[in-house]
Amino acid sequence: MDLNRRNFLTGSLGAATMMGLAACSSVHSNSADSTTSSSSAAVGAAGSSTTAAPSTTAASGSGVTPSSSAPSSAVAVKGDISFSFWGGSTGETAGFNHAKKMFESANPGTTINLKIVPYDGFFAGIDRGIQAGNAPDIFRVDYTTIGKYSGKGVLLDVSPYFDAAEIDAFLPALWEGIKYDGVPYGVPHQTDTTCIVYSKAAFETAGITSVPTTLASAWSWEEFSAVATKLRASLPDKKFPFAYDWTQAGAFRWLSWLYQAGGTLLTPDLKKVALPSAAATEAMDYTKSFFTNKWTPDSATIKTSQYSDNFFLSQIVPMSFIGDFLVPELADPKSGYKGEWGATYMPQHKAAASDLGGNAIVARKDTKNPELAAAFLKFLVSEDIMKYFCEQAIELPTLKSLASADLKYAYRPDVVKICAEQASTISDTIVKESTVGSFASINTVLQDQLELAFHGKSSADTISAIASGVTSALGS
């Protein structure tokens, strides 16, 4: 499948400002999974297209480069390092296990100790480990959180380990996303974004006969409201039209509605908040109506314990906003969605927009073996290893060579195609605002204030409180 559709590689705004940079955490309903599995367990969908393990040719040696066209001298490395990541899908776990196996095979005398922990509380654990001096050598971090660590000077500067050709192998905006004050910390590992999944049977029952099949024909807010209204009329009281993926750390995904309304969170210089605004009021009023119109379950707010995919899997809702990394969970023949389901694009209003999705891998500045840590970081973003990971995890690659390649996704390549197209709606403004160093604090403000808004706080008071909180975050 060609991921270059809708200018995925360079974007309508140019390569340096394109949606390639995605920056949200892979929050899963199964994030508490702490079982390490073999790579073969990643492929289980009936009739799915699978890939063989990548060859060791392009991935041999500790000095593996992000692209075979950008060679680098191998450096002999030995020793043990720890790598911590939140328990994601089976495909993600298999991808990391495969990378560990291949790296250790190519570098005798090395051991990568994988530690899988739940997403909830993941960064609190990292923080405690940093303070105590026993944090993992390497850990996963979403782009909206990386500034929290790079800004405090606790991450390894990787600039000595990448030459210009190796840096150029990445989608430019993604490489910019791991930089702080011009210095790169870590590697951009993968990207993802939000799309809509829906029950075909429920749509048929509700009389919804037309679903957008191109990005250009995505529903307007008015059309989306009409779809939700039809679903509401066809469903029993205990079921609801849809759930949105703004749970917990995903609160920042609300900003997609602000951008769709033509607004921004920050001023162009990223130094001040751009609220209040007419666009913010429109976005707040519209999203609050999800609850007053009974389109969304009352419990599907920011601080709920359930994620949007849970509501869909349990068939409380026939439509849900999800990240493409959840496709394996929905497509699983044993525990996935029961019934035929399809996917379509995010609604659009004055503009089309989606959220930044994806994660970087970083190393601690005080790791006892920086050469080994850097070598493993480079290995994770080597072409064959990244290709295998993305195919199994159903996520989008960060290398130019793979962004335009035909990846054989293990599950529902038709849905990945939609997500790749949707990613082209992530503008330069979205990229810049979502990667400011204080964005983790800003996201906490959004969690607190949106929760109150969806429980009755007025739009005006909510926007004022968000503006005040963001101003404080920017000044911290």
Side-chain angles (χ1 to χ4, degrees):
M1 187 193 71
D2 184 1
L3 285 182
N4 202 28
R5 291 178 60 86
R6 307 292 300 186
N7 297 321
F8 175 74
L9 179 60
T10 57
S12 58
L13 298 173
T17 60
M18 174 41 197
M19 51 23 90
L21 178 79
C24 73
S25 59
S26 293
V27 181
H28 300 253
S29 65
N30 64 341
S31 61
D33 177 16
S34 60
T35 303
T36 302
S37 60
S38 66
S39 59
S40 60
V43 184
S48 66
S49 174
T50 63
T51 57
S55 68
T56 56
T57 304
S60 61
S62 60
V64 174
T65 64
S67 168
S68 57
S69 62
S72 169
S73 354
V75 177
V77 290
K78 290 186 178 182
D80 298 359
I81 55 172
S82 55
F83 173 31
S84 185
F85 60 95
W86 52 87
S89 67
T90 302
E92 287 188 326
T93 302
F96 286 129
N97 272 282
H98 180 75
K100 163 187 165 66
K101 178 181 177 181
M102 297 290 284
F103 184 82
E104 290 174 347
S105 176
N107 296 275
T110 63
T111 300
I112 308 298
N113 297 303
L114 301 183
K115 183 178 181 181
I116 313 173
V117 299
Y119 180 81
D120 293 336
F122 179 86
F123 292 112
I126 293 294
D127 294 346
R128 290 192 297 270
I130 289 174
Q131 291 178 354
N134 58 7
D137 297 284
I138 297 173
F139 60 93
R140 195 183 200 190
V141 61
D142 51 272
Y143 292 95
T144 54
T145 305
I146 191 172
K148 168 184 174 181
Y149 297 101
S150 56
K152 292 181 178 179
V154 298
L155 300 183
L156 180 69
D157 174 4
V158 301
S159 56
Y161 306 99
F162 286 85
D163 61 29
E166 291 169 345
I167 292 171
D168 187 60
F170 291 99
L171 294 168
L174 279 163
W175 185 258
E176 289 300 310
I178 50 89
K179 292 168 69 174
Y180 183 84
D181 284 345
V183 178
Y185 296 97
V187 292
H189 185 233
Q190 49 77 216
T191 70
D192 54 69
T193 195
T194 293
C195 69
I196 295 174
V197 294
Y198 63 92
S199 162
K200 293 185 177 181
F203 270 37
E204 182 178 355
T205 299
I208 301 167
T209 58
S210 178
V211 179
T213 57
T214 65
L215 184 61
S217 64
W219 287 316
S220 65
W221 281 12
E222 292 77 13
E223 291 169 331
F224 180 73
S225 296
V227 167
T229 300
K230 285 185 176 181
L231 287 171
R232 177 67 279 167
S234 69
L235 294 168
D237 291 344
K238 293 184 178 180
K239 294 190 177 183
F240 301 82
F242 68 90
Y244 193 72
D245 57 344
W246 48 31
T247 305
Q248 302 293 345
F252 72 93
R253 295 189 181 108
W254 176 85
L255 294 173
S256 294
W257 302 98
L258 174 62
Y259 299 127
Q260 289 167 20
T264 62
L265 179 66
L266 306 177
T267 55
D269 62 6
L270 307 178
K271 295 181 179 180
K272 296 181 180 179
V273 67
L275 307 178
S277 68
T281 299
E282 187 174 19
M284 190 65 68
D285 286 344
Y286 188 58
T287 51
K288 281 167 63 67
S289 76
F290 297 171
F291 297 92
T292 57
N293 289 329
K294 300 297 181 181
W295 291 345
T296 295
D298 290 338
S299 59
T301 56
I302 304 298
K303 295 187 177 182
T304 182
S305 60
Q306 293 192 72
Y307 294 100
S308 62
D309 54 310
N310 291 127
F311 287 105
F312 188 66
L313 284 168
S314 61
Q315 303 206 11
I316 294 174
V317 300
M319 179 169 63
S320 188
F321 292 74
I322 67 157
D324 50 84
F325 52 85
L326 289 170
V327 170
E329 178 185 42
L330 300 184
D332 187 277
K334 293 183 179 179
S335 59
Y337 188 78
K338 306 304 180 185
E340 291 190 38
W341 59 279
T344 189
Y345 308 88
M346 292 271 284
Q348 54 187 327
H349 191 43
K350 295 177 182 176
S354 189
D355 57 88
L356 300 169
N359 303 285
I361 311 293
V362 299
R364 279 178 25 230
K365 180 180 180 180
D366 61 352
T367 177
K368 294 181 179 179
N369 199 333
E371 295 294 333
L372 176 56
F376 188 62
L377 291 181
K378 293 186 71 172
F379 190 82
L380 287 172
V381 292
S382 61
E383 190 172 275
D384 283 352
I385 297 300
M386 181 183 291
K387 180 176 184 291
Y388 184 85
F389 182 92
C390 288
E391 288 176 334
Q392 304 309 313
I394 317 300
E395 291 164 2
L396 306 179
T398 64
L399 295 175
K400 293 176 182 176
S401 59
L402 293 179
S404 57
D406 182 21
L407 272 63
K408 306 298 181 184
Y409 286 98
Y411 299 89
R412 297 298 298 265
D414 58 317
V415 178
V416 186
K417 166 186 171 291
I418 288 170
C419 290
E421 292 182 276
Q422 184 68 67
S424 68
T425 66
I426 303 173
S427 70
D428 179 49
T429 297
I430 298 172
V431 170
K432 290 180 177 179
E433 292 191 356
S434 298
T435 55
V436 294
S438 56
F439 196 80
S441 297
I442 290 172
N443 200 27
T444 299
V445 172
L446 293 173
Q447 289 179 48
D448 293 340
Q449 297 306 321
L450 290 173
E451 180 72 12
L452 294 174
F454 298 152
H455 282 91
K457 188 173 183 177
S458 72
S459 293
D461 288 346
T462 301
I463 293 168
S464 177
I466 290 174
S468 177
V470 172
T471 297
S472 297
L474 291 173
S476 61

